[in-house]
Amino acid sequence: MPKVNIGEQGFIYPMPMTLVGADLASGPNFMPIAWINRVQMSPPRLAAGMNKAHATNAGIREHGEFSVCLPSVDQVAVTDWCGLNSAGRGADKSALFTVVRGNLEHAPMIAECPLCLECRVFQVVDLGSHELFVADIVATWTEERFLDDAGNPDVTLMRPFTLTMPDNRYWAVGEQVGKAWAEGRAFEGA
Amino acid sequence: MPKVNIGEQGFIYPMPMTLVGADLASGPNFMPIAWINRVQMSPPRLAAGMNKAHATNAGIREHGEFSVCLPSVDQVAVTDWCGLNSAGRGADKSALFTVVRGNLEHAPMIAECPLCLECRVFQVVDLGSHELFVADIVATWTEERFLDDAGNPDVTLMRPFTLTMPDNRYWAVGEQVGKAWAEGRAFEGA
């Protein structure tokens, strides 16, 4: 086999960048999280792996609610700043954004982000250093200007970005390379 | 607030496309999975949400092992074909690839994919229709030609692709838009 084993620290490429919003004792807080994804269609659920030491984890555990906001490529610097600074060490990240609320009491969202999900915790899985928050998505907030003709969020309008590790680089979304559950119909290799 | 609530079916943008490999009674099988991500640094763990009805789930439950392979943009059609066809209905997806093995007995990998992770199940979380496989990453197989000068996998050489839902489109990775844990140092909005 031509492959080489580079060890246990393998990653998925690329990983979506989000800002997770939670209410802490100090107020609303936002933390960059790339270790997150949908995990079930119905009821709609996502899961996020987050180090237990984060101030955000305590807020989510206390209230059982949080938000997941997708920053755009225009928000790379402020998103990264949120990762370099900690509410636990006194940073007030809510001052950087227009904080808005939806249907939940404790899921602070960022008005400047093109899309935000409101989430209610379904289960917390203890992974060791991290905990996995498995949560129901209860609402999806976006703006009309980010929707395509079918009423779906359009990634070319929202312009989210992704992360690769351990090289620690951010990437825009590139060109469309196919249509899912469609492209394979023309595949003749089988 | 300018935002509108488009409902509970909100997604993360974009989601990484992978092919999950497992040993079934019929032989090695590969299923496209975009609902997957890293969830812990050490020990390195990932999580994947997969509908219990899939033949692949049964194979993973039986052996407690699976692989996660990242197809490249050159493999969009074959990846999509794997999602349109089911081993449970007789499709032999292993015939489409060169199947290779690493350190685990039941984690079949695809030689043609630029990067594959070998995984051992840590915990299975029942989500309802889906189950969440939380797994330890035990090895990362790639090729020298996909590594950068620092020895890390380079997304511009591997050329993976992503998925957006519910519009069901595949996307290449775009241009680099920043350096993580660095870009924020120059942010002056705080």
Side-chain angles (χ1 to χ4, degrees):
Chain A
M1 165 158 87
K3 290 193 193 301
V4 293
N5 179 6
I6 57 170
E8 298 179 350
Q9 281 296 346
F11 290 84
I12 303 290
Y13 292 86
M15 302 182 289
M17 278 302 297
T18 71
L19 283 162
V20 167
D23 279 334
L24 312 187
S26 56
N29 188 61
F30 300 97
M31 178 170 70
I33 290 291
W35 293 358
I36 187 167
N37 212 336
R38 274 292 291 261
V39 292
Q40 182 170 268
M41 184 63 81
S42 182
R45 290 191 171 131
L46 56 72
M50 298 164 50
N51 194 303
K52 294 175 188 172
H54 287 303
T56 295
N57 289 45
I60 297 176
R61 281 193 303 263
E62 178 178 352
H63 299 295
E65 297 176 355
F66 62 95
S67 78
V68 178
C69 294
L70 271 64
S72 82
V73 290
D74 297 330
Q75 296 171 292
V76 166
V78 67
T79 300
D80 197 64
W81 190 92
C82 287
L84 291 169
N85 293 275
S86 164
R89 294 190 306 270
D92 178 12
K93 304 179 194 175
S94 70
L96 303 173
F97 306 108
T98 307
V99 179
V100 292
R101 304 277 173 172
N103 297 337
L104 298 181
E105 194 173 355
H106 294 291
M109 298 185 287
I110 297 172
E112 292 82 0
C113 284
L115 186 136
C116 295
L117 308 174
E118 283 186 285
C119 302
R120 184 183 291 121
V121 173
F122 165 72
Q123 190 171 340
V124 184
V125 182
D126 187 349
L127 299 176
S129 64
H130 286 48
E131 49 202 347
L132 188 67
F133 291 107
V134 182
D136 291 338
I137 300 164
V138 301
T140 306
W141 295 90
T142 185
E143 298 178 43
E144 297 281 359
R145 66 189 170 115
F146 298 121
L147 302 178
D148 64 19
D149 292 341
N152 295 318
D154 187 321
V155 76
T156 68
L157 301 173
M158 296 192 292
R159 299 184 301 137
F161 61 100
T162 62
L163 172 69
T164 55
M165 292 178 68
D167 55 319
N168 301 344
R169 290 187 282 177
Y170 295 128
W171 306 88
V173 176
E175 75 277 15
Q176 186 179 343
V177 294
K179 191 87 180 65
W181 293 283
E183 207 70 30
R185 287 188 207 126
F187 178 69
E188 301 191 352
Chain B
M1 165 158 89
K3 288 192 195 301
V4 292
N5 179 6
I6 58 169
E8 297 179 350
Q9 281 296 347
F11 290 84
I12 302 291
Y13 292 86
M15 303 182 289
M17 277 304 295
T18 72
L19 283 162
V20 167
D23 278 334
L24 312 187
S26 56
N29 188 62
F30 299 97
M31 179 171 68
I33 290 291
W35 292 359
I36 188 168
N37 212 336
R38 274 292 291 262
V39 292
Q40 181 169 269
M41 184 62 82
S42 182
R45 291 193 170 131
L46 56 72
M50 299 164 50
N51 194 302
K52 294 174 187 172
H54 287 304
T56 296
N57 289 44
I60 298 175
R61 281 194 303 265
E62 178 177 352
H63 299 296
E65 296 176 355
F66 63 95
S67 78
V68 178
C69 294
L70 271 65
S72 81
V73 291
D74 297 330
Q75 296 171 294
V76 166
V78 67
T79 300
D80 197 63
W81 189 92
C82 287
L84 291 169
N85 293 275
S86 164
R89 295 190 304 271
D92 178 11
K93 304 179 193 175
S94 70
L96 303 173
F97 307 108
T98 307
V99 179
V100 292
R101 305 276 172 171
N103 297 337
L104 298 181
E105 194 174 353
H106 294 291
M109 298 184 287
I110 296 172
E112 291 82 0
C113 285
L115 186 136
C116 295
L117 309 173
E118 282 187 285
C119 302
R120 185 183 291 121
V121 173
F122 166 71
Q123 189 172 342
V124 184
V125 182
D126 188 349
L127 300 176
S129 64
H130 286 49
E131 50 202 346
L132 188 67
F133 291 107
V134 182
D136 290 339
I137 300 163
V138 301
T140 306
W141 295 91
T142 185
E143 298 178 44
E144 297 280 0
R145 65 188 169 114
F146 298 121
L147 302 178
D148 64 19
D149 291 343
N152 294 319
D154 188 320
V155 76
T156 68
L157 301 174
M158 296 192 293
R159 299 183 300 137
F161 61 100
T162 61
L163 172 69
T164 55
M165 291 177 70
D167 56 318
N168 301 344
R169 290 188 283 177
Y170 295 127
W171 306 88
V173 176
E175 74 275 17
Q176 186 179 342
V177 293
K179 191 88 179 65
W181 294 282
E183 207 70 30
R185 287 188 207 125
F187 178 68
E188 302 191 351

